[in-house]
Amino acid sequence: MAQEKFSADAVTQRSSDESAEIPSPPSNYVYKLDLRLIPVLGCTYTILFLDRTNIANARIEGLEKGLNMPTNGFNTCLWIFFIPFVLVGIPANLIMGLPRVKPNLFLGASMLILGVISMCQGLTHTYGGLLACRFLMGFLEAILPAVAALLISEYYTRKEQPIRFAMFFTFGVLGPLISGLLAYGIRRMNGIQGKEGWRWIFIIEGLGTIAISFLVFLFVPDYPEKTTILSGAEKTHLLEKLRLDKGDQKLSFKDVNWFAVFTDWKIWLPTMMFFCCDMTAASISSFTPTILTQLGWKAERAQVMTIPIWVTGFVFELGAGILSSRTGWRFPFILFGIILATIGWSIQIVYSDSKGLAAGTRYFSLFAMSAGTFLQMAMTTSWMTNNLRGRASIAIGVAIILGFGNCANFIASNVFIKTEAPFYPTGFRTGLGVTIAGAAFCLLHVALLWWHNQKLEKKRADIGGEDDQHEYRYQY
C-alpha cells in the first residue's frame, strides 16, 4: 500500500516551502460545502429521531388502545426497530465504497422507501402489522446516519469536523422537537377520514420523509474526488488540504487490513462511549411524553412541554461544537456532558424513591439529560473520525459507532417497566449506571491516546520522522 507523508495538522503547520505547493483557495468554498452538505444530510438524521419519537407521541394519543397492544407491546415496538439497525450500517457503508454507487441515489432511494413504510404505521390495523413496519424501518434508517456521517468526514479536515458534526447531530435534535410540534397540531385531526389522531402522526410524518427524499436525490454530492459542486481550482485545493490533514482517504478497500480495522480500539472505545450516552438519548426520546403526562400534565400540554427539552440539547450540542473547533479539544466537552447527564439521572433517582415528588424538579432533570447526551453524541463521533485514517477505517468506524452505539435502545426500551410508573426506579438507576460507565470509557480512551503520543514523541526524539498514513499523533 502506498504511503504518503502528511502533517498531523493542517497546511499551516508545514514549512513555508511545502505550504507553497498548495495554491491559495480561489474562494471561501467551505461555506459552499456547508450549505450543500449539512442541511440535506442533517435531514436524514432528523428523520431518524423523528421516527424514534413519533411513536412516543402516538402512544399518549391512544396508540396502545387503538391496536389492542399487550402490556409490554410498546417496549417491543422500540427494541425490534434496532435489531436490523445494528446490523445494516456496516454493509451499507461498504456498498457506499463501491466505485459505481452514488451517495445521492443510495440515500434517496432508502429515504423514499422509508417514508412509505413509515406511513404504513398509521394505516395498519394490527399490532403485528406495526411490529413489521418498525422492523423494516430499522433496515432503512440504519443506512441514513452512517452514510451521511461518512460523507461529512470525507469533506472536512479534523479541525473543521467538530462544528460540522455538531450541526449534523443538531438536526437529530430537531426530530423530536418537530415531532412534539406536529403531534400537538395533528392530534386535532382526530376523526378526519375516520382515522384516529395517532394514525395521522405517522401518515403525515411519513409524507414528510418522502418529500425530503427528493431533496436528497437532487442535492447530495458525490465523494470529494468526484464532486461537481466545486470549481476545478476549489476541488484541487480541497483534495490537497484533505491529503495533508488526513492522508490518503481514497485507498482501495481491497488493500485494507480488515482485521485491524474491526479490532481497532480507536473505534470500539468511542463506540462504548456513544452507547453509554445514547442510553440517555433513547430514554428521553421514547419516554419523555409519557413521563410528562404522569407528572400531571394532560396529553396536549405534555406534547408542547417536550419542545424546550430538545431546544436545550440543540443549543448545548452546537455550542460545544463551536468551542471544540476553536480549541482543538474533544474529551473535556464529553466529560462535561457526562456530568450533566449524571445530574439529570440522579435527580430522577432521588424522586423515584420519594412519593412527594416535585414535577418541576423532575422536569428540570430532563433538560440536564438532553444537554449532556446530545453534546456527547456529536463530539464522540468527531473524536473517533479525527483519529482514523483512510476511507475504509472511517466507513467502518461511523457504521459501528452509529450502529452498535445505538444498542443502548435495547436497554432503554426494556428497563422502563410500565408497572413502575411514574417513578421508574429500574430505568433511572440503570441509566445512571450506564452514564457513569461512559465516563470510565472516556478516561480510558484519552489515557491510551496520551500513551501512544508519548511513545511516538520519544521515538521521534531518537530517530526523527513525521506523521504518515500509519503512524501519527492522536488528537485529544
Side-chain angles (χ1 to χ4, degrees):
M1 184 185 304
Q3 295 186 13
E4 296 181 286
K5 302 292 183 181
F6 65 100
S7 170
D9 297 300
V11 176
T12 55
Q13 292 191 355
R14 298 179 64 86
S15 69
S16 57
D17 291 340
E18 288 175 302
S19 296
E21 297 173 6
I22 306 174
S24 298
S27 65
N28 195 354
Y29 60 84
V30 175
Y31 292 108
K32 184 190 297 186
L33 295 177
D34 291 342
L35 292 173
R36 186 66 179 265
L37 282 165
I38 304 301
V40 67
L41 292 177
C43 283
T44 66
Y45 209 60
T46 300
I47 294 302
L48 172 62
F49 267 84
L50 187 67
D51 288 332
R52 279 194 193 181
T53 53
N54 63 10
I55 192 170
N57 297 117
R59 183 187 194 186
I60 64 175
E61 298 298 336
L63 168 66
E64 291 173 300
K65 183 179 179 180
L67 293 182
N68 296 314
M69 293 168 60
T71 303
N72 65 341
F74 181 76
N75 298 69
T76 303
C77 287
L78 297 179
W79 64 256
I80 198 172
F81 171 90
F82 288 97
I83 294 176
F85 188 91
V86 170
L87 301 175
V88 172
I90 293 175
N93 272 4
L94 291 177
I95 292 172
M96 272 288 294
L98 298 176
R100 295 185 180 180
V101 175
K102 293 186 176 296
N104 65 321
L105 299 180
F106 191 50
L107 270 176
S110 300
M111 287 195 71
L112 180 63
I113 300 170
L114 173 65
V116 173
I117 298 175
S118 182
M119 286 180 60
C120 290
Q121 292 180 105
L123 299 175
T124 184
H125 291 278
T126 65
Y127 170 57
L130 180 63
L131 289 179
C133 290
R134 299 290 295 175
F135 186 77
L136 293 174
M137 287 170 62
F139 277 103
L140 295 161
E141 290 206 13
I143 297 171
L144 307 185
V147 172
L150 174 60
L151 276 179
I152 291 173
S153 69
E154 286 286 321
Y155 270 92
Y156 295 101
T157 65
R158 291 175 294 169
K159 184 177 181 180
E160 295 167 342
Q161 281 183 20
I163 181 59
R164 273 74 189 187
F165 271 113
M167 289 189 288
F168 172 68
F169 277 93
T170 52
F171 274 86
V173 182
L174 289 176
L177 193 157
I178 294 171
S179 184
L181 282 172
L182 289 176
Y184 176 75
I186 295 172
R187 72 188 308 272
R188 300 176 183 274
M189 297 178 65
N190 186 46
I192 295 179
Q193 296 293 317
K195 293 180 172 60
E196 302 98 311
W198 64 264
R199 293 185 181 276
W200 285 111
I201 292 176
F202 291 129
I203 293 171
I204 291 180
E205 293 180 6
L207 286 171
T209 301
I210 293 173
I212 293 173
S213 72
F214 291 106
L215 297 179
V216 172
F217 280 120
L218 292 173
F219 295 112
V220 168
D222 209 330
Y223 284 118
E225 67 271 16
K226 300 178 182 178
T227 188
T228 58
I229 64 175
L230 298 176
S231 68
E234 290 171 339
K235 180 178 174 181
T236 298
H237 186 273
L238 172 65
L239 293 176
E240 182 64 5
K241 180 178 70 171
L242 293 173
R243 184 188 69 81
L244 291 172
D245 181 63
K246 299 187 290 185
D248 186 0
Q249 296 296 91
K250 300 180 291 181
L251 294 175
S252 172
F253 276 30
K254 67 181 180 181
D255 296 324
V256 174
N257 182 341
W258 290 108
F259 178 79
V261 171
F262 278 99
T263 58
D264 192 346
W265 58 268
K266 299 189 303 297
I267 292 176
W268 286 105
L269 280 175
T271 296
M272 295 308 299
M273 292 159 54
F274 193 100
F275 173 95
C276 293
C277 75
D278 194 58
M279 172 67 190
T280 306
S283 299
I284 60 178
S285 295
S286 300
F287 295 98
T288 289
T290 301
I291 290 174
L292 294 184
T293 58
Q294 291 166 348
L295 292 181
W297 290 317
K298 294 181 179 180
E300 183 175 11
R301 186 183 179 192
Q303 303 283 22
V304 176
M305 295 299 283
T306 63
I307 297 171
I309 297 170
W310 305 115
V311 171
T312 300
F314 180 98
V315 171
F316 273 76
E317 188 170 45
L318 195 57
I322 294 172
L323 293 175
S324 177
S325 286
R326 291 182 177 179
T327 63
W329 291 92
R330 310 289 181 267
F331 85 91
F333 297 98
I334 294 174
L335 286 177
F336 177 65
I338 292 172
I339 291 171
L340 287 177
T342 300
I343 292 172
W345 285 113
S346 299
I347 290 174
Q348 292 287 0
I349 289 174
V350 169
Y351 283 96
S352 71
D353 291 335
S354 171
K355 301 302 180 183
L357 78 153
T361 306
R362 290 187 72 187
Y363 185 52
F364 165 78
S365 74
L366 296 174
F367 285 83
M369 293 162 72
S370 177
T373 190
F374 289 108
L375 183 161
Q376 292 178 68
M377 294 174 78
M379 201 66 62
T380 302
T381 306
S382 173
W383 197 13
M384 182 199 69
T385 59
N386 284 174
N387 289 319
L388 298 178
R389 289 291 178 272
R391 181 168 295 165
S393 291
I394 294 176
I396 298 303
V398 295
I400 288 176
I401 198 171
L402 295 177
F404 286 88
N406 274 288
C407 285
N409 287 269
F410 291 113
I411 299 177
S413 60
N414 286 289
V415 296
F416 285 86
I417 303 168
K418 192 172 183 179
T419 55
E420 293 185 348
F423 302 103
Y424 297 111
T426 302
F428 294 138
R429 288 169 183 166
T430 303
L432 178 62
V434 172
T435 300
I436 293 174
F441 287 122
C442 179
L443 294 174
L444 175 61
H445 186 54
V446 76
L448 289 174
L449 296 176
W450 177 85
W451 179 64
H452 165 85
N453 287 348
Q454 291 298 111
K455 287 201 310 177
L456 188 60
E457 288 176 4
K458 182 179 179 180
K459 176 182 176 181
R460 290 180 177 175
D462 295 334
I463 63 175
E466 66 175 3
D467 288 4
D468 60 28
Q469 185 72 26
H470 302 288
E471 188 176 73
Y472 52 92
R473 278 182 55 84
Y474 298 153
Q475 291 193 337
Y476 306 130

